[in-house]
Amino acid sequence: MKEQWKVITMIIGSIFIVIFALQNTINTTIDFFLVRFEVPLILVILFTLLIGVIVGLLTSMAAIQSNRKNNKVLEKENEKIKTEHYDLMNEKDKVIQELQSQLEQKNNTVETTIISEPTTVEEESTPQ
């Protein structure tokens, strides 16, 4: 459906351009420095349009190149930050593993102590 609209728009635009060209066929005098030209008005208009398009393209190409350069710098910075993030995650995981192993060791020590020193119910309930 989008392709059909593009074709229809191009056909309508072409029709307007042909009508515009047919209405502007009178000769116009152009003075360029010391030279004088007699050309149809439509050629003057189209030449001016062509110059405008070329200037616009050159200007936009400079902006596009600048944006590409900035994009590359930002991509490198992003990769650096990702690497730092992954390194920090790995360090955090190591610390978590160390703390878990220390906790397990303390739990084992407490269990061993409880098992090796059994207390009776009477000792706990005797007031001091």
Side-chain angles (χ1 to χ4, degrees):
M1 188 69 175
K2 286 184 179 181
E3 295 297 321
Q4 292 174 347
W5 282 107
K6 286 180 183 179
V7 170
I8 291 171
T9 304
M10 288 174 58
I11 290 172
I12 291 172
S14 298
I15 291 171
F16 281 128
I17 290 171
V18 168
I19 291 171
F20 180 75
L22 291 175
Q23 290 178 347
N24 292 292
T25 56
I26 58 172
N27 284 339
T28 305
T29 303
I30 304 294
D31 292 321
F32 187 69
F33 294 112
L34 300 176
V35 182
R36 180 172 282 188
F37 298 103
E38 285 274 328
V39 292
L41 180 61
I42 188 64
L43 291 180
V44 173
I45 294 170
L46 290 178
F47 182 73
T48 306
L49 176 68
L50 178 66
I51 296 297
V53 168
I54 290 172
V55 168
L57 285 174
L58 291 175
T59 305
S60 66
M61 290 299 286
I64 288 171
Q65 286 299 102
S66 175
N67 288 338
R68 284 183 183 169
K69 185 177 179 181
N70 289 341
N71 192 22
K72 286 181 182 180
V73 168
L74 291 174
E75 283 177 354
K76 287 179 183 178
E77 199 173 309
N78 189 22
E79 285 300 316
K80 180 182 173 186
I81 291 172
K82 278 183 182 180
T83 304
E84 289 175 2
H85 176 72
Y86 289 131
D87 291 343
L88 288 173
M89 284 180 55
N90 288 335
E91 287 179 27
K92 175 196 61 112
D93 289 342
K94 287 178 184 177
V95 169
I96 288 173
Q97 288 176 354
E98 288 175 13
L99 291 173
Q100 285 176 342
S101 66
Q102 289 175 3
L103 183 62
E104 286 176 9
Q105 288 175 358
K106 286 186 179 185
N107 284 340
N108 289 339
T109 306
V110 169
E111 287 176 7
T112 307
T113 307
I114 291 174
I115 292 174
S116 65
E117 297 178 7
T119 59
T120 62
V121 177
E122 295 171 2
E123 291 176 3
E124 291 179 6
S125 61
T126 309
Q128 297 181 355

